[in-house]
Amino acid sequence: MDRTVIAYVIYLVVSIGLTVWVARTLSRNGRVFLADVLHGNEKLADAVNHLLVVGFYLVNLGFVALYLSDDETITDTRGIFEALSTKLGVVLLVLGVMHLGNVYVLNKIRRRGLMEREQLPPVPPQGWVAPTAGA
């Protein structure tokens, strides 16, 4: 079997495995944020979570597929390791950026939900204070 094909197979197996692992981690832990933001509406939290995971899969697996091809022919075992380290390193960086992006978006959504809940003061105003002339 051609060494280039071996590198492609290893790249696909590792990249898809990493993508699935990160997506499951985001799904499992991101659901907690969504349930909090959506005031305990479990059905809506599950739906939004599922949509985010599908988008994550589409973007990352699309990138993995586009980044698969290479113009160089791998001639030795060292070339397999070099090609894999470059390709998997870039995939890991993209997964990391996507993960941080998802965490950022979930945190923004959560903070917005918290701000909406805290618009009313916890205690109604008890009086009025006139402004002073020196201030």
Side-chain angles (χ1 to χ4, degrees):
M1 186 182 274
D2 185 17
R3 286 186 173 98
T4 305
V5 174
I6 292 170
Y8 285 168
V9 169
I10 294 170
Y11 166 74
L12 284 173
V13 168
V14 173
S15 296
I16 291 171
L18 286 169
T19 300
V20 168
W21 175 68
V22 172
R24 285 186 177 179
T25 301
L26 283 172
S27 173
R28 186 174 46 251
N29 297 316
R31 189 183 174 288
V32 175
F33 284 105
L34 290 171
D36 182 45
V37 168
L38 300 171
H39 310 292
N41 188 342
E42 301 290 328
K43 231 176 158 177
L44 185 58
D46 287 339
V48 171
N49 194 27
H50 184 72
L51 290 173
L52 287 172
V53 169
V54 168
F56 183 83
Y57 275 127
L58 289 173
V59 169
N60 284 300
L61 292 177
F63 175 78
V64 165
L66 286 173
Y67 200 61
L68 175 67
S69 66
D70 197 358
D71 293 336
E72 293 183 30
T73 302
I74 298 173
T75 57
D76 57 356
T77 307
R78 178 182 174 186
I80 291 174
F81 284 103
E82 289 174 352
L84 284 174
S85 68
T86 301
K87 286 188 173 296
L88 290 175
V90 172
V91 168
L92 286 170
L93 287 172
V94 169
L95 282 171
V97 168
M98 288 294 295
H99 172 69
L100 291 175
N102 274 338
V103 169
Y104 177 77
V105 168
L106 288 173
N107 193 38
K108 282 292 230 187
I109 292 170
R110 184 173 178 265
R111 282 184 183 226
R112 182 175 175 194
L114 289 174
M115 292 297 288
E116 287 174 0
R117 283 187 225 157
E118 294 177 1
Q119 283 188 358
L120 296 175
V123 178
Q126 298 175 0
W128 183 78
V129 177
T132 59

